[in-house]
Amino acid sequence: MNRSRNTCWLSAVTAFILILSLLTRGTAAQTDSPAADATEIVDSIDAALQDCPKDKISFEMVTGYVYSAPADMLDSLPGTLKITDCLDICRNNASCMAVNYETGLCVLFASNADVYPGALTVSDFPVFTLYVQKNCLADAPVCARAWSFERVMGFELEGFSRKVEKVSSRLECEAVCMNEKGFPCRSANFNNETLDCSISDMDRHTVVGTGSFKRSDNTDFLENNCVDDPVRLCEFQKMEGRILKTVDSVFQDVESLDECKQLCLEAPYRCHSFDYNDTGDKVCRLSHHAAATLTHINNPYLDLVDSSTYELSSCYNVTIDCRSGDMVARIKTSKIFNGKIYSKGSPTTCVNDINNSLEFEIEMPYNDVECNVKRDSASRYSSDIVIQHHDTIVTSADLGLSVHCQYDLSNKSVSNRVDLQVTGEVEPALEEESIVESPNVIMRITDRGGEDVVSAAVGDMLELRFEIVDKNSPYEILVRNLIALEGGEGNQIELLDSRGCPVELSILRPLLKVDETGKILGASFDAFKFPTSETVQFRALVTPCIPFCEPVVCDIVDFSGQVKKTESYGRKKRSLQSSSLNGRRSSSQVIRWLTSRHIDVEGFGAPASKELSVATRFKRETETDVPEEHLVVQSITITDKFGFRGKSPKKVSGTKNSSSKSRSSSVTGEEEDLVLTEALGGSCINTIGLILGCSVFLVAQLILIVAWTAVWHRRRRNKLEEPLAPSTTTESLRQLYDSGYPRRV
């Protein structure tokens, strides 16, 4: 009830502010900054719209701007919960040329920003406004979406231009993009001075995280909303604690989160985020925006406790070409892909490296042992493949597919299944400690709450902690040169550089103080592994400092592609004669084991192998009196999340007895359904332990039975040996007195 009241109050305030803005500043903007001849422009635009075929009427959106022209306002429609309804009203109104839309309010105008450029001003507080302008794209293909382009003024997408043409207007540039046949045009940069139209097969969503979307004077970025994105195998990332201030659609009486997600995937625009049950019971809100498309808006999100926004991470369309001698898996993704695709059993021999592509494939010959294609029957072949985003390690963002080809009277049957998550029971905590001269430092792996863990899965949220054991120690610590090594072949990746800055933010976050004492440093990460080994070894240099440590300022690229400065507790690497992480001469080494248990990360019943984790100290080989560096080493075992359970397409759906969460999809012919299954009621039981326990119990019961039988026979034998009657009268009286009869006086 409180959320509903807050939402209604916010909508009312928003509507009042917008109407007040229109009335107070609109007249000045309209009269002070008109186009050269407003009347002629209005008549020209109106004539073009009147002569335009109905299916060629299109809309262009500008986010974060409001159009203020009170004299030309046709109508104000409070309570409009969908931008599509607002645009349909404008489409059917011959006088309507533009609209302002905020969640719950639609305002129609008889002019637009081409007539009065000064009337279009920034509007992003307390909520951001969506300005939409009616256009006619008579020479472009018909677009079935609610609007055709989104315009971002003063920005461009740099480095992805495929073709440049001279045009006469912004609308002509949009038509050039939609008419392109050589590649799917997703966006265009239009220069208002040179009239250059640069079209590209990328947009803000496909290049998220690259930093390519930048400010550019006199340039309009035009993003095509009419392109087709993959919508079959889709992942949504949960962003907790915030929701968008303005959305495109609000649906009521939506029964479940999955139903809300399906509304997003089927929306008449490119929906990229949604929230559910945060502004009211069974309320689902959709938006075409995501964090990557709102970098030019100030505070687009509303911080709200216990709320979540689900943002589209990536989608995949997978097709299989079953040929006479091989199968070809073709993948189309919604975001630019850098990584590799390979056969799960042969990650180094049957692999295809991908660089900056939205479409890629892998060929797997039937007779090639390197690709591990299995022949299930006389007419059926199958293989397991992995789509790996990082060039070296397996992360939670990766995708596992089980692909099949069946030959039956020239018909092709393809099924895909994805197993991304595994479960495991948490066992007693582990702790590793090394005895060094002041201070004593240990390395721990914990959950985000600081509790030690002994079992996890690829993608689990963990934290790597460096901790001084003695809480009263005068020292603090810095960490640098953190690397992860593969246990088998020796491949390695750098996590913290020589300054202590994170190399890839998507793998390891900055190293920060966990508490105010400065004795504990922690860096959060998602569990990962190498493709060819289940052992991951961490090595880092730990440097004590007194009385306190100064953090280093790092320039890192965040998840939206923006370069930001952040602090991390590392230090500049000093000149050392011997500073190799792989081997240093030590002047002293004292090691004390607190436990021999390693962190065991298992999936789908994989056997756990025991490793030892050690922290070792090495003295610096210098003459100066400087703090000593410690080489901290830890090895853990991690198995991947790709279960590939079963090969039959009929077994794609999860069963009720499943003890793991799984995401699966099935493709047969040209139809593909996404099946989400979740079963949490199961429990993992060690069969050997159960047998041993039952055996011990039965042996104990048998011993008790034997003991009781022996006692019973002994008592019975004693009774049988007793005389039936006393031999004399004297003996009879003695027995009576002994048994408790009172003596007569």
Side-chain angles (χ1 to χ4, degrees):
M1 180 64 70
N2 291 333
R3 285 184 176 177
S4 300
R5 290 178 178 176
N6 291 338
T7 305
C8 295
W9 178 83
L10 181 61
S11 299
V13 171
T14 301
F16 174 76
I17 292 176
L18 179 61
I19 295 174
L20 183 63
S21 173
L22 296 176
L23 295 177
T24 55
R25 60 177 177 171
T27 303
Q30 184 176 357
T31 56
D32 293 346
S33 303
D37 191 340
T39 304
E40 292 183 2
I41 295 178
V42 170
D43 293 341
S44 175
I45 296 175
D46 184 65
L49 293 175
Q50 294 293 338
D51 296 337
C52 187
K54 189 174 182 180
D55 59 349
K56 299 290 186 177
I57 294 291
S58 179
F59 290 94
E60 179 190 77
M61 176 179 292
V62 182
T63 299
Y65 282 79
V66 63
Y67 182 65
S68 304
D72 294 331
M73 188 170 68
L74 297 175
D75 200 358
S76 177
L77 305 172
T80 305
L81 298 180
K82 300 176 184 177
I83 192 173
T84 51
D85 294 342
C86 181
L87 297 183
D88 286 341
I89 295 173
C90 183
R91 187 190 303 272
N92 296 323
N93 188 333
S95 301
C96 179
M97 293 186 182
V99 303
N100 285 334
Y101 179 79
E102 293 177 358
T103 306
L105 179 63
C106 174
V107 182
L108 280 64
F109 295 92
S111 60
N112 60 32
D114 290 339
V115 180
Y116 301 108
L120 189 64
T121 56
V122 175
S123 175
D124 54 13
F125 184 82
V127 296
F128 58 90
T129 308
L130 304 177
Y131 167 73
V132 189
Q133 181 172 307
K134 184 191 289 187
N135 295 321
C136 178
L137 295 177
D139 298 329
V142 176
C143 179
R145 300 290 176 87
W147 61 91
S148 57
F149 280 85
E150 178 160 7
R151 173 188 175 196
V152 185
M153 296 181 290
F155 281 83
E156 69 174 353
L157 191 65
E158 185 181 72
F160 292 95
S161 176
R162 293 285 300 272
K163 185 185 292 186
V164 179
E165 292 188 16
K166 286 285 186 179
V167 294
S168 60
S169 65
R170 187 179 72 253
L171 291 182
E172 185 179 347
C173 184
E174 294 177 358
V176 168
C177 180
M178 295 184 67
N179 284 312
E180 176 59 39
K181 303 298 183 183
F183 56 89
C185 178
R186 294 178 173 271
S187 67
N189 295 326
F190 174 70
N191 191 299
N192 292 280
E193 291 185 347
T194 64
L195 300 181
D196 287 336
C197 177
S198 174
I199 60 177
S200 171
D201 59 347
M202 299 293 173
D203 58 23
R204 291 177 293 177
H205 298 285
T206 60
V207 300
V208 59
T210 63
S212 302
F213 188 63
K214 300 179 179 180
R215 292 188 177 274
S216 178
D217 295 336
N218 301 315
T219 302
D220 288 342
F221 173 73
L222 308 173
E223 191 166 68
N224 190 359
N225 189 52
C226 301
V227 295
D228 293 326
D229 288 327
V231 292
R232 293 185 177 179
L233 300 176
C234 293
E235 293 182 356
F236 285 83
Q237 181 180 4
K238 185 178 181 180
M239 304 190 323
E240 298 181 349
R242 62 179 187 176
I243 59 175
L244 281 171
K245 294 180 179 179
T246 301
V247 295
D248 301 328
S249 303
V250 179
F251 293 88
Q252 298 174 325
D253 298 325
V254 178
E255 295 298 330
S256 66
L257 181 69
D258 288 339
E259 184 178 343
C260 183
K261 179 172 69 174
Q262 195 62 29
L263 288 173
C264 181
L265 295 175
E266 297 174 354
Y269 46 85
R270 298 171 65 193
C271 177
H272 283 88
S273 65
F274 69 90
D275 59 69
Y276 179 70
N277 261 358
D278 291 326
T279 57
D281 293 336
K282 298 182 179 181
V283 174
C284 172
R285 307 194 317 153
L286 313 179
S287 175
H288 72 285
H289 278 300
T293 62
L294 292 170
T295 56
H296 63 294
I297 303 297
N298 293 323
N299 300 321
Y301 290 95
L302 176 66
D303 294 332
L304 195 62
V305 180
D306 296 331
S307 65
S308 298
T309 295
Y310 296 86
E311 186 172 303
L312 184 62
S313 176
S314 59
C315 288
Y316 301 88
N317 279 359
V318 182
T319 58
I320 310 298
D321 185 9
C322 301
R323 304 190 296 197
S324 60
D326 58 15
M327 65 169 65
V328 181
R330 294 189 173 93
I331 294 92
K332 182 179 180 181
T333 180
S334 61
K335 289 188 177 180
I336 191 169
F337 182 78
N338 282 292
K340 56 186 177 181
I341 179 173
Y342 58 86
S343 173
K344 186 177 187 295
S346 306
T348 58
T349 56
C350 187
V351 61
N352 188 11
D353 291 318
I354 312 299
N355 183 30
N356 291 341
S357 179
L358 296 175
E359 299 182 17
F360 48 93
E361 64 182 38
I362 182 173
E363 296 184 8
M364 294 172 288
Y366 295 147
N367 297 324
D368 188 356
V369 295
E370 297 294 345
C371 286
N372 198 27
V373 178
K374 299 177 182 179
R375 186 173 184 177
D376 300 329
S377 64
S379 60
R380 180 182 174 85
Y381 296 86
S382 64
S383 182
D384 299 332
I385 61 176
V386 175
I387 302 173
Q388 182 175 308
H389 292 72
H390 195 276
D391 190 56
T392 309
I393 61 175
V394 179
T395 67
S396 59
D398 299 337
L399 193 69
L401 299 174
S402 180
V403 295
H404 311 268
C405 274
Q406 181 170 334
Y407 298 85
D408 185 12
L409 299 178
S410 301
N411 292 328
K412 298 179 182 179
S413 175
V414 182
S415 70
N416 295 341
R417 186 169 74 196
V418 185
D419 292 308
L420 287 181
Q421 300 185 20
V422 298
T423 58
E425 294 183 357
V426 178
E427 299 182 3
L430 80 114
E431 187 174 8
E432 305 84 13
E433 179 179 318
S434 62
I435 296 181
V436 296
E437 298 175 4
S438 298
N440 294 345
V441 181
I442 61 173
M443 182 193 297
R444 300 166 52 217
I445 294 185
T446 70
D447 58 20
R448 297 296 169 87
E451 297 294 330
D452 291 322
V453 297
V454 295
S455 182
V458 169
D460 282 358
M461 295 185 294
L462 303 176
E463 189 171 53
L464 189 63
R465 292 195 174 189
F466 301 86
E467 181 176 347
I468 298 177
V469 177
D470 184 6
K471 302 303 180 183
N472 297 321
S473 172
Y475 290 94
E476 292 185 0
I477 54 175
L478 298 172
V479 180
R480 64 177 179 87
N481 289 115
L482 173 64
I483 61 174
L485 296 94
E486 181 183 15
E489 299 180 2
N491 294 325
Q492 68 180 44
I493 60 171
E494 188 179 31
L495 304 180
L496 293 178
D497 60 18
S498 60
R499 300 175 63 235
C501 295
V503 178
E504 293 190 49
L505 196 62
S506 60
I507 299 177
L508 187 77
R509 288 31 152 200
L511 196 66
L512 303 174
K513 288 184 178 179
V514 175
D515 54 22
E516 296 180 355
T517 64
K519 303 297 186 293
I520 305 175
L521 299 181
S524 58
F525 69 100
D526 297 337
F528 61 86
K529 67 179 290 291
F530 292 89
T532 58
S533 175
E534 294 183 354
T535 300
V536 179
Q537 186 181 81
F538 294 96
R539 296 184 183 183
L541 289 179
V542 178
T543 303
C545 48
I546 190 171
F548 55 85
C549 297
E550 291 290 343
V552 64
V553 178
C554 307
D555 293 327
I556 62 173
V557 180
D558 63 11
F559 296 100
S560 63
Q562 304 297 316
V563 178
K564 295 184 178 180
K565 293 185 180 298
T566 186
E567 291 185 348
S568 182
Y569 278 83
R571 52 164 284 182
K572 292 185 178 180
K573 183 177 180 181
R574 297 190 179 184
S575 177
L576 299 176
Q577 295 179 354
S578 177
S579 60
S580 173
L581 288 177
N582 295 317
R584 299 177 56 163
R585 292 177 295 171
S586 61
S587 57
S588 65
Q589 180 179 359
V590 184
I591 303 173
R592 175 163 59 90
W593 297 102
L594 296 183
T595 177
S596 63
R597 186 180 293 113
H598 72 296
I599 291 183
D600 181 24
V601 184
E602 299 184 72
F604 294 95
S609 60
K610 293 186 177 180
E611 301 278 350
L612 295 181
S613 301
V614 58
T616 314
R617 182 186 65 71
F618 291 88
K619 287 187 177 180
R620 297 167 62 97
E621 297 179 300
T622 62
E623 298 295 334
T624 57
D625 185 15
V626 296
E628 298 176 346
E629 287 186 325
H630 311 282
L631 177 62
V632 184
V633 183
Q634 184 185 67
S635 297
I636 68 174
T637 302
I638 301 179
T639 58
D640 61 34
K641 60 195 174 179
F642 308 121
F644 299 109
R645 296 171 298 171
K647 295 296 182 182
S648 174
K650 297 180 181 179
K651 296 181 181 180
V652 170
S653 300
T655 62
K656 294 182 180 180
N657 295 328
S658 173
S659 63
S660 65
K661 295 181 181 178
S662 64
R663 190 191 67 162
S664 61
S665 69
S666 62
V667 184
T668 303
E670 297 180 355
E671 297 180 358
E672 180 173 346
D673 298 320
L674 181 64
V675 182
L676 297 175
T677 62
E678 182 174 351
L680 302 175
S683 62
C684 298
I685 300 177
N686 190 314
T687 305
I688 298 178
L690 178 62
I691 294 174
L692 291 176
C694 292
S695 300
V696 172
F697 176 76
L698 292 176
V699 171
Q701 293 295 320
L702 182 61
I703 293 173
L704 289 176
I705 292 173
V706 171
W708 181 84
T709 303
V711 172
W712 183 80
H713 280 290
R714 183 176 180 181
R715 293 181 61 185
R716 186 171 183 272
R717 185 171 58 252
N718 291 339
K719 288 183 178 181
L720 291 176
E721 291 177 353
E722 293 179 358
L724 297 177
S727 57
T728 62
T729 304
T730 304
E731 183 67 15
S732 176
L733 291 174
R734 187 184 66 77
Q735 291 183 9
L736 288 174
Y737 284 124
D738 292 342
S739 62
Y741 276 84
R743 299 174 183 266
R744 292 185 180 182
V745 181

